[in-house]
Amino acid sequence: MRRLSGPLCAAALLFACSKGNGSSNDKGASCQSLLDCGAGKWMCIQNSCVAACQSASECSSGLVCEEGICLKPACGNDAQCASGQVCTDGACAAPPSASQVVSCAIAPGPAVMRAGSTLQLKVVAQGASGRALHFNSFSWTASGAGATIDATGLLSATDAGDVAVTASVQGGSASCTTSVHSYGPPDSGALRITAIDIHTRQPIAGAKVVLGSGTSITPAQVTGSDGTAQFPNITGFTNVHVFAAGYSYTSFIETDGHDLLVPLTPYLSSSLRSGFTGHMCSSRSADPSCPPEGDFSQLQIPGQGVHLAFFGSGIPNSPLDLSLDTLVGPLHRVVVSLTGGSACGSDSQCPSGQVCGSGRCGTGVNLPYGLVLGVAGNFFGTQDYRVFADGGLRALWGIGGNVSAGKMSGILAPVLGGSGSVDVGALLPQLLPLLGDLQAGADVGVRAAPNATPGHAPIFTSAAIPLNTGMRLRLDPAVPDLPQVDGKYLDGALVVAGAMDYPIGFIPLGMTAGLSDKVNGANGPKVIDPNCTAAGGSDQSCATSQLPMKLAPENGGAEGSKVGVAVIAFGGLSSAFSARVVLSGRIKVLDKVDYVAPPSTGLSPSIPPFPNLPSSASVGVSRVARQLSVSGDADPAVQIYRFEVLSHARLDWNVWIPRGSHTVVLPDPSAVDAAFADPFADVAGDDGKTAGPTSRLVALELSENKTAVQLETFSSLTLDALGSSLSAFTAVQVPVGP
């Protein structure tokens, strides 16, 4: 197996995080330890005495036996609750009243649309604490630009101009407003480009737009205050390139659209990004400054020696953008030691291979800002987590709990040991059985402070994300046969389930993974069930391609959303592969997931075969020639490609290409404006190292039958809102050649 260090060690560690239990008890007496619960089969869980069990017959009437304890049945959605109740945090309860809603927020807001089209808006109800409420009784009004809006928040506009939209609580006094700008048609025969911030949906003034390829480009047109620029008398197919200071670049290749909507992603160093921060502790008695939401002693499973949690912001546009960075933030350096480490004042006082941090010797490890890791009371400096959130209305989420030191010692030792590297093939099977030990929580409808500018510090707003929802829903997806690339099967499959709370984002609710079976020492097409114990869990007997998982019910304001199940085949983690990372994914959208009591099995969604992957010889990048090439479509269902060139400083260039064979020569950004950096150049990154770019080719399949041009223009589905329609994708790392 390939040994990985740094970011991939941290990424593999994240797979250990996803489950928990409810806390409704049988006896109900309060407790601090098992001794407080008296004689009989009792457990002390979250300061309450709970009856232990092996079957439901050992529990009181109305309770179920789940994970060895008696619990009230959970719910997965409102339909599983009695009339007049709603499902909140996995339990049926009376809905919030209109008087409890003191404020609200509309997403997206502000926003843009084209006259004659529609835009779906969402409103989030908020209580006195500022947290989202499971409340949906709003009335909508819209005025200006010939606008109308229906009871679901679907906005229509017939004219150009600004639209004022208001959502008002029915039976209450709270209301909220936003503005939507409706663009009229472009001038006759002209090509119009509208540049917007992909997160805030605000127009971008001062962006520079050129047409052409390589050195044969037009003079730049500059976008005005409304984000638009026009080229008169344009016919046929055109290459369009959009550049803006502080944003990644975007190109549309061979487009014949005449009204292009160009969402640009902000580009800035992680040191300037704002967001949220929180604090975790082993117990509030040991750390009185710790908020109640951060107390590990109140999470499942209490009394265990290792504390593990991670926090992040919902993926704003689609699961296509799911990565370690978008999930739990960029990496930072911490010094860790399983044994506590010897006291030190400098690196020279530490044993060979160790460094000094916070007065103790240990191993320097890059971990995400959103990851909290503690052994007993030692958190290695990770207890103050950070969540980096983009502009607009966002959702925060977290998954955390306690794991036994016995289970974690074998996993943490190679990660935190002297080598700083880990055999991922050996690590994943150890992590997978631990996915049932954690709890989840979310906070929908938050806004981060603006990002900092050079010379100013970013702002991190205090946020305590309550991990109060147990992982009591179950799915049992059947994974299709793993795809091949260059004649080799991929390494395994990852499943991520989440609330598709668009336009706010994809909010993870649970995850699991399984590795490929082995055939004559090489990857095979089947995936090993990580929970299988038959014949000692050998590949052949357990290669069922079933990946049973637990997930949390929707919570924290995401209730009522559809559930997306992303099943992603991955390659690049074992010696059977070259160094490049390869993904092939399917996204199954479920209207809801019901709670079913054990021993019944969970829903088994049907997953179509994975999309075909392009061969290494069919894609290429030439750095000197600034050339990208795609030879044919590996999968016939591909609708559009996104070729990405990413500099080491994380300046991205997204090049949208229609299906088929194409050779693209990109212009030099400095020829457009000397201030524009070149993603193809060697640059210093946040890690202090200087390196060249990386690249990958992403192929998209959508549930709606759209051409590339329809996606690039103002239509019912645009490139900044693919989340609800993305059905499959592939992503292949492409070596950058000379």
Side-chain angles (χ1 to χ4, degrees):
M1 296 290 181
R2 174 174 291 115
R3 299 186 67 83
L4 303 175
S5 60
L8 285 179
C9 288
L13 184 61
L14 290 177
F15 290 153
C17 312
S18 84
K19 172 189 146 182
N21 294 308
S23 59
S24 302
N25 62 77
D26 196 347
K27 187 175 182 179
S30 61
C31 59
Q32 296 296 320
S33 70
L34 181 61
L35 297 176
D36 297 329
C37 296
K41 295 182 178 180
W42 299 98
M43 300 177 66
C44 182
I45 296 179
Q46 292 185 319
N47 299 122
S48 293
C49 294
V50 180
C53 60
Q54 294 182 345
S55 68
S57 62
E58 300 178 58
C59 300
S60 299
S61 176
L63 301 185
V64 298
C65 183
E66 189 171 341
E67 303 294 340
I69 56 177
C70 295
L71 299 170
K72 291 181 180 179
C75 58
N77 48 76
D78 292 352
Q80 291 195 287
C81 296
S83 177
Q85 291 189 321
V86 295
C87 184
T88 300
D89 301 332
C92 293
S97 65
S99 62
Q100 290 178 274
V101 182
V102 300
S103 62
C104 59
I106 298 173
V112 297
M113 64 185 301
R114 166 79 182 271
S117 65
T118 60
L119 177 68
Q120 183 64 60
L121 301 176
K122 173 187 172 69
V123 61
V124 177
Q126 297 163 325
S129 67
R131 295 195 186 279
L133 300 175
H134 185 8
F135 182 92
N136 299 311
S137 297
F138 285 87
S139 58
W140 294 86
T141 59
S143 61
T148 59
I149 191 167
D150 69 11
T152 69
L154 184 65
L155 177 68
S156 302
T158 58
D159 304 322
D162 292 323
V163 180
V165 178
T166 300
S168 302
V169 174
Q170 295 178 1
S173 58
S175 65
C176 46
T177 62
T178 192
S179 62
V180 178
H181 183 72
S182 174
Y183 290 92
D187 294 343
S188 178
L191 166 61
R192 181 174 68 181
I193 295 91
T194 303
I196 64 169
D197 185 303
I198 194 170
H199 300 310
T200 67
R201 268 69 171 186
Q202 289 278 57
I204 299 174
K208 295 189 175 182
V209 186
V210 298
L211 310 182
S213 298
T215 57
S216 300
I217 57 175
T218 65
Q221 295 286 343
V222 181
T223 59
S225 59
D226 64 351
T228 67
Q230 291 198 89
F231 291 84
N233 304 318
I234 299 297
T235 60
F237 293 92
T238 309
N239 294 340
V240 180
H241 312 280
V242 184
F243 307 90
Y247 289 87
S248 292
Y249 308 148
T250 293
S251 295
F252 292 156
I253 304 303
E254 296 183 19
T255 180
D256 62 350
H258 281 259
D259 196 9
L260 303 179
L261 178 64
V262 185
L264 299 180
T265 304
Y267 156 66
L268 72 165
S269 167
S270 59
S271 63
L272 298 177
R273 295 181 64 187
S274 294
F276 300 86
T277 185
H279 180 74
M280 301 290 289
C281 62
S282 58
S283 69
R284 297 184 72 196
S285 59
D287 182 358
S289 66
C290 185
E293 296 88 347
D295 188 347
F296 271 105
S297 70
Q298 299 302 304
L299 301 179
Q300 296 298 334
I301 299 171
Q304 303 301 318
V306 177
H307 316 302
L308 191 62
F310 61 98
F311 299 89
S313 175
I315 312 302
N317 302 308
S318 79
L320 182 68
D321 297 315
L322 187 150
S323 68
L324 179 65
D325 187 89
T326 57
L327 272 175
V328 286
L331 303 176
H332 67 129
R333 194 72 166 172
V334 299
V335 176
V336 296
S337 171
L338 289 176
T339 59
S342 57
C344 63
S346 65
D347 292 351
S348 62
Q349 295 178 308
C350 295
S352 176
Q354 294 190 356
V355 294
C356 184
S358 301
R360 292 285 175 179
C361 294
T363 301
V365 179
N366 290 326
L367 295 178
Y369 272 105
L371 176 65
V372 178
L373 175 63
V375 178
N378 185 0
F379 284 88
F380 318 112
T382 67
Q383 67 269 31
D384 293 307
Y385 63 86
R386 287 184 174 184
V387 175
F388 295 80
D390 296 306
L393 207 62
R394 291 288 167 253
L396 306 181
W397 62 274
I399 298 176
N402 305 290
V403 183
S404 75
K407 290 181 179 180
M408 288 295 293
S409 60
I411 298 170
L412 292 178
V415 176
L416 309 181
S419 67
S421 63
V422 61
D423 188 329
V424 174
L427 178 64
L428 285 179
Q430 298 178 71
L431 290 173
L432 293 172
L434 305 181
L435 297 182
D437 296 337
L438 308 179
Q439 293 173 245
D443 189 4
V444 175
V446 300
R447 291 186 188 272
N451 290 318
T453 55
H456 297 82
I459 298 173
F460 286 88
T461 306
S462 178
I465 303 171
L467 304 180
N468 56 1
T469 306
M471 301 290 211
R472 299 187 63 189
L473 306 185
R474 293 196 297 280
L475 291 175
D476 191 13
V479 177
D481 282 357
L482 295 173
Q484 291 180 301
V485 63
D486 299 335
K488 297 177 181 178
Y489 289 105
L490 301 195
D491 292 334
L494 167 71
V495 182
V496 182
M500 301 184 73
D501 195 18
Y502 296 112
I504 293 177
F506 179 87
I507 306 170
L509 299 170
M511 64 184 76
T512 189
L515 295 177
S516 163
D517 68 332
K518 299 299 178 184
V519 179
N520 297 323
N523 289 341
K526 302 298 182 182
V527 175
I528 300 171
D529 177 353
N531 298 314
C532 175
T533 58
S538 66
D539 290 6
Q540 291 73 27
S541 59
C542 294
T544 63
S545 289
Q546 296 292 135
L547 284 183
M549 66 179 299
K550 285 205 168 186
L551 63 151
E554 293 169 332
N555 60 90
E559 296 91 344
S561 303
K562 293 186 177 182
V563 176
V565 182
V567 182
I568 304 170
F570 60 85
L573 301 183
S574 79
S575 57
F577 263 85
S578 61
R580 64 194 187 118
V581 176
V582 181
L583 304 174
S584 178
R586 287 283 180 191
I587 300 173
K588 181 75 172 182
V589 179
L590 307 174
D591 289 333
K592 59 186 178 69
V593 177
D594 287 339
Y595 169 79
V596 292
S600 299
T601 58
L603 178 68
S604 183
S606 174
I607 309 297
F610 287 114
N612 298 327
L613 288 156
S615 66
S616 297
S618 66
V619 292
V621 178
S622 172
R623 187 175 181 183
V624 174
R626 312 178 63 79
Q627 179 175 291
L628 317 176
S629 61
V630 181
S631 300
D633 302 313
D635 195 281
V638 170
Q639 290 163 272
I640 192 171
Y641 291 104
R642 186 175 77 186
F643 220 133
E644 304 168 356
V645 178
L646 180 65
S647 80
H648 192 57
R650 305 199 66 77
L651 173 60
D652 201 359
W653 195 334
N654 290 322
V655 183
W656 295 93
I657 304 174
R659 54 173 298 149
S661 297
H662 301 274
T663 298
V664 179
V665 179
L666 296 174
D668 184 344
S670 65
V672 179
D673 189 314
F676 290 152
D678 184 3
F680 284 93
D682 288 343
V683 291
D686 288 342
D687 58 2
K689 300 177 181 179
T690 298
T694 58
S695 182
R696 73 171 186 165
L697 177 69
V698 180
L700 284 70
E701 299 177 17
L702 305 168
S703 58
E704 296 185 36
N705 185 21
K706 296 287 186 180
T707 65
V709 170
Q710 289 173 318
L711 293 171
E712 294 163 352
T713 57
F714 279 100
S715 66
S716 60
L717 181 63
T718 54
L719 293 176
D720 63 330
L722 293 177
S724 59
S725 296
L726 183 66
S727 61
F729 67 92
T730 61
V732 179
Q733 187 176 357
V734 182
V736 178

